[in-house]
Amino acid sequence: MTEIRLFKNINVVLGVSGGIAAYKVVDLTSRLVKAGAIVDVIMTEAATKFVGPITFQALTHRPVVTEMFSLLQETEIGHVSLGKQADIMIVAPATANTLAKLAHGLSDNMLTTTALACRGPILLAPAMETGMWKNPATQANIALLQERGMHIIGPEEGRLASGADGLGRMAESDEIFEACRWLLGRNGTLAGCQVVVTAGGTREPFDPVRFIGNRSSGKMGFALATVARDRGGDVTLIHAPTALSPAYGVQSIPVETALRMHDAVMDKISTSDVLLMAAAVADYRPALLAEQKIKKNEGSRFVELVRNPDILQEVANRRETDNRPRLVVGFAAETEDLLENARKKLARKRLDLMVANDVSATDSGFAVDTNKVTLLDTKGEATPLPLLSKNEVAERIIDVVVAILKKKDKMGK
Ligand code: PMT
């Protein structure tokens, strides 16, 4: 995993309490460090029975706090200051005992003391046996913690320490990581903004088992949705069939055809601020849809095609009314005359920003992890970007989206 902009210079305090799931937190620590965060690990005494502090120290390159009254640790790390400087605190695993202490404001170890002093958001990942989780005392503690603004992820169903299957297994480290990312971004530059992103290639069926499609994997659109979420946007991702999973906190609307994507977009745009159309929408669909699988010798009558609605064009046509997004971004996937064709679409679809996408190279465009695009503003002025990961392309596009929104705010638009 590479660095993630959101985590740059971010202080994460990771509180580990005593449960077998502590071993999964090793992976979480590694992810946070690789993403660019500064991670301070605090372990309860019980936690040290499951994983050694040296493991976390080796990953974070920082001392691990295990004792409440260690003078050496206090001078080096600064007692309550850990909580004060934390941009976010994660407690994983959060045992029934630690949850109870947090709910009642106890501060009898370094983890609970730091949580009391923490000014940033707190994310709790409970892990315990099913009976303990379902116990009314634990449930009341959870309700109290939620009421006070703490965020809970999991627990999930699965195999528990006792060997039994049931509810109580800690959420996986990638889920905790994603929830942390969502929480960190909530007050970002797109906070309060309704963002609609489309992704993937629509499928136009002509019988129950076959369709006309394209090579879009959804990677570009999913990256945009994730970055918009990282900046605090309230993101809806309308996507064609893909192997990808939407990011934590992103509302996903799966669709198959261009007609369904059209309906889903139209349903959302009157309440959205930003529309980013990264989907490869089929311009045509088969005129006929056979009820049964077409036999070899009768296929030719199904090749007739009819036009699909142009979603962006329809949005452009409504843009003078109140029911329109404040900002619309289109993509143009081109194999020749990239800028000329993209500029025509920019004008015709009355976009605020056009992303001209060179899909002729093997490392750019459809189904790869990198992309090479040129951003065109309303006047058609070009800003070419180098070959970048799709995640970084998404960051650059959202940078421009934020800048345009700010400009519109100033102009009262
Ligand atoms: O999904 P990946 O594998 O990561 O690939 C990413 C991508 C190459 C699909 C993406 O970066 C991209 O370029 N998407 C736009 C592809 C495309 O359909 O371009 P177009 O030039 O045909 O369409 C222009 C714009 O109109 C697009 O924003 C498209 O979403 C929109 N459109 C097109 C047809 C249609 N019927 N309705 C539309 O709204």
Side-chain angles (χ1 to χ4, degrees):
M1 188 202 276
T2 48
E3 285 196 358
I4 296 173
R5 248 205 239 182
L6 184 67
F7 283 98
K8 202 162 185 251
N9 299 325
I10 286 293
N11 290 293
V12 179
V13 171
L14 186 51
V16 187
S17 60
I20 183 66
Y23 81 90
K24 288 194 202 171
V25 182
V26 173
D27 180 51
L28 175 64
T29 309
S30 164
R31 276 162 173 264
L32 289 164
V33 172
K34 282 184 190 154
I38 302 154
V39 184
D40 284 302
V41 176
I42 301 174
M43 301 179 80
T44 62
E45 199 191 335
T48 62
K49 308 274 188 266
F50 292 91
V51 181
I54 193 85
T55 306
F56 290 110
Q57 193 158 321
L59 288 168
T60 62
H61 306 292
R62 295 170 76 81
V64 172
V65 185
T66 51
E67 287 175 36
M68 181 82 154
F69 299 108
S70 157
L71 283 179
L72 176 69
Q73 289 183 338
E74 279 193 28
T75 44
E76 281 183 353
I77 298 164
H79 201 50
V80 183
S81 66
L82 257 192
K84 284 187 185 161
Q85 77 195 29
D87 294 295
I88 189 165
M89 179 165 180
I90 304 171
V91 183
T95 59
N97 183 40
T98 292
L99 289 173
K101 287 179 185 181
L102 293 175
H104 297 282
L106 298 189
S107 55
D108 64 344
N109 63 33
M110 195 58 178
L111 189 158
T112 49
T113 306
T114 306
L116 269 185
C118 183
R119 292 181 187 154
I122 299 185
L123 177 64
L124 306 170
M128 65 201 73
E129 288 298 313
T130 309
M132 293 170 81
W133 172 250
K134 289 192 173 163
N135 188 292
T138 304
Q139 287 305 306
N141 289 336
I142 287 285
L144 198 57
L145 291 163
Q146 277 176 317
E147 202 182 296
R148 293 193 190 133
M150 294 203 193
H151 299 268
I152 317 288
I153 176 137
E156 296 168 353
E157 294 268 354
R159 196 172 169 78
L160 305 171
S162 61
D165 279 328
L167 185 62
R169 193 178 156 87
M170 191 179 80
E172 294 303 323
S173 62
D174 53 350
E175 273 178 75
I176 302 173
F177 180 81
E178 282 299 319
C180 164
R181 207 169 152 176
W182 169 76
L183 258 178
L184 270 176
R186 274 188 326 151
N187 298 322
T189 42
L190 286 179
C193 235
Q194 300 291 324
V195 181
V196 174
V197 181
T198 66
T202 61
R203 290 178 177 180
E204 311 300 326
F206 53 93
D207 77 9
V209 297
R210 304 183 184 96
F211 59 86
I212 297 173
N214 62 68
R215 295 195 297 115
S216 170
S217 63
K219 287 181 180 181
M220 191 63 247
F222 274 62
L224 278 168
T226 305
V227 172
R229 184 280 315 261
D230 279 357
R231 309 276 182 105
D234 203 343
V235 182
T236 303
L237 176 61
I238 300 169
H239 62 89
T242 148
L244 306 171
S245 308
Y248 185 90
V250 167
Q251 192 205 342
S252 142
I253 303 183
V255 295
E256 189 166 348
T257 63
L259 284 176
R260 293 284 83 79
M261 184 169 277
H262 165 271
D263 295 349
V265 171
M266 291 307 153
D267 192 43
K268 278 276 165 193
I269 56 158
S270 53
T271 52
S272 69
D273 300 291
V274 178
L275 171 65
L276 297 138
M277 282 289 299
V281 188
D283 288 317
Y284 292 89
R285 67 179 182 277
L288 296 172
L289 173 57
E291 272 181 35
Q292 305 301 333
K293 186 179 167 197
I294 297 166
K295 302 282 180 296
K296 266 190 196 114
N297 54 0
E298 57 175 24
S300 55
R301 70 194 172 94
F302 286 89
V303 294
E304 192 194 336
L305 299 173
V306 290
R307 280 302 294 259
N308 270 327
D310 187 322
I311 303 169
L312 264 185
Q313 194 61 60
E314 212 172 304
V315 173
N317 295 345
R318 316 167 44 144
R319 291 197 72 201
E320 295 312 318
T321 74
D322 285 335
N323 290 337
R324 63 181 173 87
R326 289 177 68 206
L327 196 155
V328 180
V329 180
F331 277 69
E334 305 292 344
T335 52
E336 56 182 352
D337 304 325
L338 175 69
L339 295 188
E340 195 188 323
N341 288 332
R343 282 195 179 104
K344 280 185 198 154
K345 288 179 186 171
L346 168 79
R348 196 169 63 238
K349 303 195 180 194
R350 298 164 71 199
L351 305 170
D352 298 281
L353 180 69
M354 172 55 104
V355 183
N357 202 160
D358 179 1
V359 293
S360 61
T362 52
D363 52 3
S364 170
F366 293 99
V368 286
D369 291 328
T370 47
N371 211 359
K372 192 161 191 292
V373 304
T374 298
L375 306 183
L376 298 175
D377 67 14
T378 45
K379 293 185 189 121
E381 294 288 330
T383 307
L385 300 183
L387 184 73
L388 297 168
S389 69
K390 281 187 175 163
N391 185 57
E392 189 51 31
V393 171
E395 295 275 9
R396 304 282 184 103
I397 292 169
I398 299 295
D399 283 346
V400 178
V401 164
V402 169
I404 300 174
L405 283 176
K406 264 194 194 152
K407 210 165 150 190
K408 285 188 181 235
D409 278 344
K410 269 193 192 151
M411 293 162 69
K413 281 191 182 173

